[in-house]
Each structure stands twice: as C-alpha cells, then as structure tokens.
Amino acid sequence: MLKQSCGAILYTFDPDGKLGIILGEENNNIIDGWLPFKGCSCNDETPTSTAIREINEETCGIINISNIKLEHVFSTKQKIYMIGLIYVPFELLEKFKN
C-alpha cells in the first residue's frame, strides 16, 4: 500500500492583483525543490487531519486552519498526494520572511 502525503499549496494576490503561490523547501534545501506544505499521516489520522497538522507544523504555526478540501489527488510510485488550496492574505507574507 502506498503512503499518503497530505497538505496544501498556499496562494495569495499582491496589491496589483497578481497571483502568487507559497511553497516550502524540501528538506530545508532549495536544491531539493519547492513543494506544497505536506506530510504523511501519524497513527490513525484522516487525510484531512494530516493536512491540517502538517500545514500548521511546516508553516511554524503561521497558518492554522480547521478544515481543508483535498481536491487534487495524484500519485507516484512511492506515494499518493492529496493536496488542497488555501488562500492567504498578502499581508501575511511578511511573517514567512522570519
């Protein structure tokens, strides 16, 4: 059985209305790539509760949501990815710099 990795891509609009996305560094290393904030389930977590926990953990508590719709599902040979989209107010981006 394939592992599930659940999380989200964060998005915002700048003051000029341009769309922007916020991704996390894989393994804290830009060379490994930028990916959604995501992770694998612990114990008997549901995909939704996994995504909520992982988003909170990987954004250092900046993003704290109570629900998410995991609309985008795709798989590789190793994992099934379940990814949602979360709107983030543009002003919140300052917190990601720290």
Side-chain angles (χ1 to χ4, degrees):
M1 183 173 179
L2 295 177
K3 284 187 174 183
Q4 289 182 341
S5 188
C6 306
I9 295 174
L10 311 182
Y11 72 97
T12 193
F13 294 94
D14 74 9
D16 295 326
K18 294 179 184 172
L19 174 67
I21 60 171
I22 306 162
L23 299 171
E25 294 176 348
E26 184 72 4
N27 299 320
N28 294 319
N29 184 338
I30 294 173
I31 294 171
D32 286 343
W34 296 90
L35 295 169
F37 297 96
K38 57 159 183 50
C40 293
S41 300
C42 293
N43 303 321
D44 292 330
E45 283 182 314
T46 66
T48 299
S49 62
T50 299
I52 290 168
R53 178 183 54 76
E54 286 290 340
I55 293 161
N56 183 266
E57 287 176 3
E58 292 192 7
T59 63
C60 299
I62 294 172
I63 306 299
N64 190 9
I65 59 172
S66 60
N67 198 10
I68 185 171
K69 187 172 182 182
L70 301 173
E71 301 175 87
H72 308 280
V73 179
F74 60 96
S75 61
T76 65
K77 291 181 181 179
Q78 291 87 19
K79 288 184 184 175
I80 296 172
Y81 293 90
M82 302 176 79
I83 304 297
L85 298 172
I86 298 175
Y87 171 75
V88 176
F90 185 76
E91 298 76 32
L92 197 64
L93 293 183
E94 263 319 295
K95 292 186 176 184
F96 282 95
K97 293 180 181 179
N98 299 324

